[in-house]
Amino acid sequence: MVRLFALLGAALLAACSPTETDTALAQAPESVPASEAAIERHPTSGLQIIEVAVVRGDKRIVFNTELANTPEAQARGLMFRTELRDDEAMLFPSSTPQARSFWMKNTPVALDIVFIGVDGRISNIEEGVPYSLESVPSAGQASAVFEVRRGLMEELGVVPGDRVEYVLPE
C-alpha cells in the first residue's frame, strides 16, 4: 500500500512539473507589438520621444522631445526634473486649440515656454521661473506648448513667427 502511494505521488509530481517547453516559454520574454517596439521613450519620464523642429528661415533646429499627450503627463510636465539638455524638450499638444497657461510648480529647471499658434508658428515665448505659481499665458489660441531650457530660444535666434514642425503619433 505504501508503494502504491509512493508511485501515485511520483506520478502526480511528474504531471505537475514543468516540461522543457513550459520552462522555455516561461523564460521567453513577452513579445512586444512591432508598433510599440519602435517607440523611443525618455529614461526618466517614460514618455514617448518624437522629433520637433523649430524652423527659422533656412535653419532647422531639431529637438528630441518628450510627448506629454495625456492629462496626467501634461499635469506633471517637467516637475521635479533637475536638468534638460539643449537638444531636449517637452511638447504639450492640445486636442483643440485654446488659450493655454502654464506655471512652474515643483519645477526646478528654468524654462522657455514656447506657445505655438494654430498656424504652427510661435505666438509668444515666455520665461518660466523655477517653482513659480504665477501663471504664464499664451498670446491667443495655442495648438501646443513647447518647453526648452530657459534662454535657449534667444541663443538660437528663435522668435515669434518662426515655425514649429512635428508629427503626432496616431
Side-chain angles (χ1 to χ4, degrees), residues 68-131:
N69 60 349
T70 65
E72 298 79 20
Q74 289 197 7
R76 184 169 178 86
L78 289 166
M79 284 185 181
F80 310 108
R81 297 279 285 279
T82 56
E83 64 181 1
L84 189 63
R85 295 189 330 246
D86 286 355
D87 65 338
E88 293 181 320
M90 185 172 279
L91 182 72
F92 302 79
S94 294
S95 55
T96 54
Q98 58 188 304
R100 302 284 304 262
S101 64
F102 278 60
W103 64 354
M104 299 284 293
K105 180 181 180 182
N106 298 319
T107 307
V109 178
L111 300 171
D112 280 345
I113 303 173
V114 180
F115 294 94
I116 304 166
V118 294
D119 60 356
R121 295 190 176 277
I122 297 171
S123 59
N124 59 311
I125 302 171
E126 304 297 333
E127 290 187 352
V129 177
Y131 300 107

Side-chain angles (χ1 to χ4, degrees), residues 35-36 38-41 47-52 65-70 91 93 166-170:
S35 61
E36 188 70 20
I39 294 175
E40 182 182 356
R41 299 215 174 260
L47 296 176
Q48 182 176 355
I49 301 288
I50 65 169
E51 183 178 286
V52 174
T65 305
E66 296 170 66
L67 180 59
N69 60 349
T70 65
L91 182 72
Y166 56 90
V167 176
L168 296 177
E170 294 180 12

